Amino acid sequence: MCHINKVLVGDTGLVLAAFETQTTIERDLFLKESFPADFQWATSSESFKVEGGWAEGGKGETIWDRFGHKGLAFANQTADLACDSFHKVDYDVYLLRGLNVNTYQFSISWARIFPSGHRNSQSEQGALYYDKLINALIESGVQPVVTLYHWDLPQALQDYGGWTNTSIVEAFKDYADFCFSRFGDRVKTWNTFSSPWVVSHAGYGTGEHPPGYFLSLQVTHNIIKSHTEAWHVYNDKHRTKQGGKVGIALNSDWAEPRNVSRPEDMAAADRYLQFMLGWFAHPIFVDGDYPATLKTQVEEKRKECPHSEPARLPAFTPEEKKRILGAADFFGLNHYTSRLVNSSDGGCTPGPQGVGDFQAHVDPSWSSTASDWIYSAPWGLRRLLKYISTEYLKGTKVPIYITGNGMPTEHSGDPFNDTSRILYMESYMNEALKAMHLDGVNVQRFTVQSLMDGFEGPQGYSQQFGLHHVDFDLPDRPRTPKQSAYFYSQIIEKNGFASKKQMFNSPEGQNQHLSWIPLSGLMGIKLDLVFTMWTSPTQTCQEHRSTRLISTTKS
């Protein structure tokens, strides 16, 4: 048994301490229970990944249009047509009805509403497209959840610096105000941003996403202020009449210390979480400012590297801090994977790992996916949910919405018998259920990414996240449900995993619904999977893990 140093690592240590007595068997037990009766089951899409119609209806060019037209995506693919959802509203809503979901999360293309990024360029045809989609959803009994920004910035704004230019705060506020005014009578849940860490890190940090700049800390600063102003304009002008909620969907891995008996690794895991999740969540949910760990680490690097300055963190004014704190009606979480983290000397290298002095790894036993950054470690979701509840929601009663969870398969092979996705979905949903039933975490929604295959940025159409297969070789883009779509619809119909037959009883009568069950057979789908245990139940935290270094960049 190893003992967690709670003083050194704060709430990260408290969460780890709560699970330190678990064997691997206990950690991976399956909870046979139901979700609450009012639980929200959702799936999602993103505008540039599915809409197509890139230059129709007055839509302006986006940074992803420019990216694709430069031949920077896989096999020179573009999002010009994508899934053609711009012309297939009824088709997509038909798919949603078949899934039994009660919630659909989609994003609005800023450039389809305001082609230049500003109100004076408003396209009525673009607004009518979203009116049609929202109305069709409501008529089918599906709640629309709208994301205002999922990465597709109008190129006209990028030409003036995009998220590095402070003027974008007012532009985003005006865009948000228009959307609230136009659609808020029917849309009651809004995400201002989805995965802004990816926008900052991949778009303006590593340059893997457009626009390819290297000013991620300033970008985050402007995104946080943009979110805050959008929340306040809703709160001041629209909330009383519309009665909705506005929040932000933050992405984060769970960071497990590579060796929990080493205080250095414990502290490194905490830094990983602060550099990913805390960068955005701490200002909004804790005190209006960046985490102390992040500020200290950046300042130490500035002293250590006076000639290269790998990072410079902007400062919020006292007035801005007051305005930022509490500017969210829920905590949105996009989560896909976990990491094993150890302490390292990052030197003067820019980026989270260099500035944060940590390295991230995966356990070779974790199941891989078509993505080089998503590995299946479902138990990490439960720990992350407990961490969020402990670290950020102690002073507020806002719920957690899981706004994105999923994995891709390869575009080659059998696209319909996606057994790996079913196993991934089932295990992650069950860990969310454990967090709710066993840890008391207030999770109210689970969103499976995605409704259908789409354009996945640099990967083009080579990776498929969809519950429905889209044939991109045919001009009418037919959609066909995969096995995972049938699986998900049955989970929703049963509202979870409870069964009439109880398979396990503890002597004390506790955790009586936890058991080993054949995961693939749960919903009656023949998947020909064998459930195996890959770690000894006697494994201790002292045991050496053979791991390999990976990138923490998200796609």
Side-chain angles (χ1 to χ4, degrees), residues 6 9-16 254 270 387 390-392 394:
K6 304 177 183 65
V9 292
D11 288 335
T12 309
L14 292 174
V15 171
L16 290 168
W254 169 245
D270 184 67
Y387 172 81
T390 304
E391 175 85 353
Y392 301 116
K394 287 182 291 191

Side-chain angles (χ1 to χ4, degrees), residues 48-365:
F48 79 91
K49 296 185 180 185
V50 301
E51 284 183 3
W54 82 276
E56 293 187 58
K59 177 183 169 293
E61 184 186 18
T62 72
I63 56 174
W64 281 104
D65 295 326
R66 180 73 59 90
F67 182 86
H69 294 158
K70 286 184 175 181
L72 298 176
F74 174 82
N76 295 318
Q77 293 169 344
T78 74
D80 288 1
L81 182 58
C83 304
D84 199 24
S85 286
F86 184 64
H87 298 108
K88 295 184 179 297
V89 168
D90 293 337
Y91 196 167
D92 291 348
V93 174
Y94 170 78
L95 299 180
L96 291 165
R97 291 200 301 269
L99 276 179
N100 291 322
V101 293
N102 51 32
T103 305
Y104 181 51
Q105 176 180 285
F106 66 92
S107 69
I108 288 177
S109 173
W110 189 343
R112 197 176 291 285
I113 297 288
F114 295 169
S116 74
H118 297 288
R119 189 185 289 255
N120 60 8
S121 67
Q122 181 202 333
S123 167
E124 180 63 15
Q125 286 179 275
L128 286 171
Y129 164 69
Y130 295 110
D131 276 329
K132 181 178 180 180
L133 174 57
I134 291 166
N135 291 340
L137 290 170
I138 292 174
E139 289 170 5
S140 294
V142 179
Q143 173 190 348
V145 172
V146 172
T147 300
L148 291 172
Y149 186 79
H150 193 107
W151 310 359
D152 51 346
L153 187 69
Q155 182 63 43
L157 292 179
Q158 184 54 52
D159 291 341
Y160 290 94
W163 292 108
T164 67
N165 190 326
T166 56
S167 68
I168 202 169
V169 176
E170 189 63 29
F172 183 79
K173 175 184 175 182
D174 196 40
Y175 160 62
D177 185 28
F178 174 84
C179 291
F180 297 149
S181 299
R182 177 73 179 239
F183 311 118
D185 59 329
R186 291 151 290 162
V187 176
K188 302 304 176 184
T189 307
W190 300 86
N191 301 312
T192 54
F193 292 85
S194 182
S195 295
W197 184 90
V198 180
V199 176
S200 299
H201 179 64
Y204 294 81
T206 65
E208 294 171 78
H209 286 191
Y213 289 7
F214 297 92
L215 296 163
S216 59
L217 295 177
Q218 182 61 53
V219 166
T220 296
H221 205 66
N222 290 335
I223 286 177
I224 291 173
K225 291 199 288 186
S226 297
H227 159 79
T228 299
E229 292 310 308
W231 185 88
H232 279 285
V233 79
Y234 188 86
N235 196 55
D236 296 343
K237 291 181 61 177
H238 305 288
R239 186 184 301 276
T240 300
K241 184 177 180 180
Q242 296 179 0
K245 295 182 177 181
V246 177
I248 187 168
L250 305 177
N251 66 292
S252 184
D253 309 331
W254 169 245
E256 186 84 0
R258 190 173 183 183
N259 186 339
V260 292
S261 66
R262 295 185 70 238
E264 300 93 333
D265 287 2
M266 294 287 292
D270 184 67
R271 288 197 300 276
Y272 186 104
L273 290 169
Q274 298 299 343
F275 270 68
M276 180 174 268
L277 186 59
W279 196 5
F280 296 88
H282 196 276
I284 296 169
F285 293 97
V286 178
D287 63 8
D289 199 3
Y290 295 115
T293 298
L294 180 64
K295 293 193 292 183
T296 299
Q297 194 73 16
V298 169
E299 186 59 31
E300 288 179 355
K301 287 294 178 177
R302 290 187 66 194
K303 294 177 181 177
E304 180 184 334
C305 310
H307 301 296
S308 61
E309 194 178 34
R312 176 181 293 181
L313 188 65
F316 294 116
T317 67
E319 293 76 17
E320 287 172 339
K321 292 177 185 178
K322 291 179 182 177
R323 196 160 176 83
I324 292 167
L325 178 60
D329 302 317
F330 56 85
F331 193 114
L333 174 66
N334 297 335
H335 173 77
Y336 306 90
T337 193
S338 292
R339 293 292 184 260
L340 303 176
V341 180
N342 66 277
S343 178
S344 68
D345 183 357
C348 296
T349 305
Q353 291 199 147
V355 179
D357 285 333
F358 57 75
Q359 288 185 334
H361 311 259
V362 296
D363 191 309
S365 63

Side-chain angles (χ1 to χ4, degrees), residues 18-34:
F19 296 103
E20 68 174 319
T21 62
Q22 276 190 333
T23 64
T24 304
I25 291 178
E26 292 169 333
R27 183 195 71 188
D28 295 337
L29 286 174
F30 197 89
L31 180 61
K32 294 177 15 178
E33 266 292 353
S34 296

Side-chain angles (χ1 to χ4, degrees), residues 424-442:
Y424 177 98
M425 290 168 55
E426 183 177 54
S427 57
Y428 273 87
M429 287 187 285
N430 199 254
E431 291 298 324
L433 186 65
K434 288 184 198 175
M436 298 165 65
H437 276 268
L438 306 180
D439 306 327
V441 180
N442 183 18

